[in-house]
Amino acid sequence: MNLSDFDKNEIPELAVTLSKEDIKYLIFNLKEKNNNLRYNSFLLLRARSRDFEDVYDYFDTFKDMLTSKNSYHKHIAVYLIAENAKYSKKYDDNKFLYVLDRYLQCCKDEKYSTARQCIQSIPIWIDHYPELIDRITDYLINIDLTIFRESGRGLVLYDIAKTIIYIRNIKSNDRIDDFLDDIINNERLDDKRLKELGMI
């Protein structure tokens, strides 16, 4: 399997054909220094996770990567945890719930790119955990944007609003409506962003 250079359009087809040994090899590559090898391995594992449970066997690996000092490792962990959360729910020992607090901490990571990745990953799994909607909503709404560099605050707020809007389509409440109204009324996002979100 040549992962250094292959057509990204082939990922869905390749993901279906992965063997256990292939998956083990791809997991090993997630901490590779070679960017192409690491990233392409991640893309294949993420695609595989959408329809097959066998990547879930490495959930503990993803959990450990959440606390890495390497931002790339955190990005990978966030998305592979999100993609595999649905499989975790069927087990009494729900590993996703165990790691949830640590996962959510990435929404407040000192590097706003990591925070954005985590916030953007929430819609991947939230449909499978409607019982967590109120908790996640409150968590996102209460994120203090001043912890991020000023240049990234608007981007993080945009991602929060987009995720909150997604959640509202599953279950709405007054807190969500008040939060979104506040963004509009206090011009916390520019018109371009608001239009992208369908808020104006």
Side-chain angles (χ1 to χ4, degrees), residues 8 38 49 68 72 86 111 129 134 143 148 152 178 183 191:
K8 300 286 193 298
R38 181 184 63 243
S49 299
S68 172
Y72 293 117
K86 58 182 178 286
K111 294 186 177 179
Y129 290 86
D134 290 341
I143 289 177
F148 305 113
D178 290 344
I183 290 176
D191 286 350

Side-chain angles (χ1 to χ4, degrees), residues 3 6 11 14-15 18-20 22-31 37-52 54-56 58 61-62 65 76 79-80 83-84 87:
L3 293 175
F6 73 106
I11 287 175
L14 286 172
L18 294 176
S19 67
K20 286 187 177 181
D22 290 332
I23 292 171
K24 185 177 181 180
Y25 169 68
L26 295 172
I27 293 291
F28 178 81
N29 289 341
L30 293 180
K31 295 183 180 180
L37 188 57
R38 181 184 63 243
Y39 186 62
N40 290 336
S41 296
F42 159 66
L43 291 178
L44 278 168
L45 289 168
R46 185 176 177 189
R48 178 76 179 185
S49 299
R50 291 185 180 121
D51 298 307
F52 298 93
D54 38 15
V55 178
Y56 177 75
Y58 297 90
T61 299
F62 311 145
M65 290 174 70
I76 288 169
Y79 276 109
L80 290 178
E83 294 287 2
N84 284 277
Y87 304 120

Side-chain angles (χ1 to χ4, degrees), residues 73-102:
H73 293 173
K74 285 185 180 179
H75 294 179
I76 288 169
V78 157
Y79 276 109
L80 290 178
I81 284 172
E83 294 287 2
N84 284 277
K86 58 182 178 286
Y87 304 120
S88 193
K89 191 166 188 180
K90 66 163 109 173
Y91 298 105
D92 291 335
D93 178 21
N94 188 324
K95 292 184 177 182
F96 176 67
L97 292 182
Y98 175 77
V99 79
L100 183 59
D101 286 341
R102 191 183 304 181

Side-chain angles (χ1 to χ4, degrees), residues 165-176:
I165 289 169
Y166 183 92
I167 290 173
R168 183 178 62 179
N169 291 329
I170 304 171
K171 178 186 176 183
S172 185
N173 60 47
D174 290 341
R175 290 213 64 197
I176 289 177

